[in-house]
Amino acid sequence: MVINRYSRKDMKRRGSKRTNKENFCSSIQSLPNELLTDIVARVASRSFKNFINVKLSCKAFNELANEQYVYQKATLVDFPIAPWQKQTQEKINKVNSLMELCRECGNTEALYRKGVVDYFKDDEPEVAVEFLKRAAKGGHVGARYVIGIIMVFMGGEYKRKGLMLIGNMKETERKLTRACRKSLIEILREIWVTNPSVLEQRPTGCTMQHRRRIRKNVWSSDSEDEDDEHDDFHCNACSCDVEIAHIWRCMRKFYRHFDMI
């Protein structure tokens, strides 16, 4: 009899939970779809894990989670650039499918990652640049930075435009430029750079070979990300040369085959 009594209590408790969930879903469904879609997109933009939990919370959220706008805003911070060695092929395929879906929906981070990886791996670099352009057009500052770096390596008229782009970024958005550099270097750590256009030689922009001027009364730093924070530059070319030096030095550090060039 005791067992039956506790069983009845469990049944009541479960019934109460089911009723509460049904009431919650009914309340959610009474709200406009535009508002619900925005809520799901905001969750997805902050945590993909929480996004999955929201999808599972009720039918309405699960249906709206498939909207293009949601995947356009989804954060990819929880996903590595390159697949982990311990991941199964099935999981790798699922992640690749998700990345492709995000790119199709206009997710700027997904476009940026694809552009950087494919360009520096020399995997259809022309298509990779188009990915970067789409990301930059969508407001991804890191993509704009990488386009400037690529243009400098391309030489000719592209180099002049790249020097101006990077120089202007460092003049007006120096902290943001360092963040873009850090993001690029983190991706390059995860891949093998095989594009000969960035491996043959380090380009230089300033023909005058100006010396860097370090502002007085500032603390020096050994950090690669901050060693030019307090520098003044004579021209955009000088500023860009220092930025290219960062990328070049880091690539030499990460890839031993550089020493054979």
Side-chain angles (χ1 to χ4, degrees):
M1 298 297 294
V2 174
I3 295 177
N4 291 335
R5 187 180 66 206
Y6 280 106
S7 297
R8 286 196 295 270
K9 286 184 178 180
D10 289 340
M11 291 176 65
K12 289 182 180 180
R13 189 179 299 113
R14 291 173 184 174
S16 177
K17 288 183 178 179
R18 188 180 300 110
T19 301
N20 291 338
K21 185 174 182 179
E22 290 173 354
N23 292 337
F24 169 75
C25 291
S26 298
S27 300
I28 290 296
Q29 291 173 347
S30 66
L31 298 174
N33 281 348
E34 293 80 3
L35 175 60
L36 295 178
T37 302
D38 187 60
I39 291 173
V40 177
R42 286 173 180 270
V43 173
S45 69
R46 288 165 173 78
S47 168
F48 204 86
K49 181 178 179 180
N50 289 341
F51 166 59
I52 298 299
N53 291 334
V54 166
K55 286 184 63 175
L56 299 175
S57 64
C58 74
K59 183 178 179 181
F61 279 148
N62 185 53
E63 292 176 352
L64 293 171
N66 295 320
E67 292 289 331
Q68 177 177 335
Y69 178 71
V70 174
Y71 285 97
Q72 180 183 353
K73 298 298 182 180
T75 178
L76 305 181
V77 68
D78 295 328
F79 298 94
I81 301 299
W84 296 326
Q85 294 180 351
K86 294 184 178 180
Q87 285 182 325
T88 63
Q89 189 59 48
E90 181 182 2
K91 188 168 185 179
I92 292 174
N93 292 340
K94 286 183 178 180
V95 172
N96 289 340
S97 296
L98 173 63
M99 295 298 112
E100 184 176 358
L101 175 60
C102 288
R103 291 194 297 271
E104 291 175 354
C105 294
N107 186 298
T108 56
E109 177 65 17
L111 293 167
Y112 165 75
R113 288 187 178 193
K114 180 67 172 174
V116 171
V117 171
D118 285 3
Y119 185 84
F120 284 89
K121 291 180 67 175
D122 200 24
D123 184 4
E124 296 185 329
E126 296 83 4
V127 178
V129 171
E130 292 303 315
F131 282 126
L132 289 168
K133 287 180 179 179
R134 287 175 58 191
K137 187 176 180 180
H140 198 291
V141 182
R144 180 160 58 95
Y145 169 86
V146 173
I147 288 173
I149 295 295
I150 290 174
M151 292 173 76
V152 173
F153 276 98
M154 291 174 67
E157 181 64 17
Y158 290 108
K159 178 179 177 180
R160 186 186 68 82
K161 293 180 179 179
L163 291 172
M164 291 184 61
L165 193 159
I166 297 298
N168 289 334
M169 283 187 68
K170 294 195 70 172
E171 182 178 356
T172 60
E173 306 168 302
R174 187 167 291 193
K175 289 184 178 180
L176 187 57
T177 303
R178 290 203 313 275
C180 293
R181 179 204 309 160
K182 182 180 180 181
S183 174
L184 173 58
I185 290 173
E186 286 178 350
I187 294 179
L188 296 181
R189 282 196 182 107
E190 302 295 326
I191 64 175
W192 286 104
V193 176
T194 55
N195 191 330
S197 66
V198 297
L199 294 175
E200 291 176 352
Q201 63 179 0
R202 171 184 148 189
T204 55
C206 184
T207 58
M208 301 298 293
Q209 298 298 310
H210 290 134
R211 291 185 177 180
R212 290 161 60 188
R213 297 176 298 184
I214 302 177
R215 300 177 195 173
K216 297 180 179 179
N217 302 323
V218 295
W219 291 99
S220 61
S221 173
D222 295 329
S223 170
E224 269 183 351
D225 291 330
E226 299 183 1
D227 58 358
D228 63 344
E229 179 180 4
H230 304 291
D231 290 5
D232 287 323
F233 300 98
H234 288 80
C235 61
N236 283 343
C238 288
S239 178
C240 187
D241 281 347
V242 172
E243 198 66 25
I244 291 294
H246 281 299
I247 304 299
W248 183 264
R249 182 171 62 250
C250 289
M251 285 197 295
R252 288 182 62 90
K253 182 190 300 182
F254 299 148
Y255 309 109
R256 292 184 178 180
H257 66 269
F258 241 88
D259 297 330
M260 301 171 62
I261 297 175

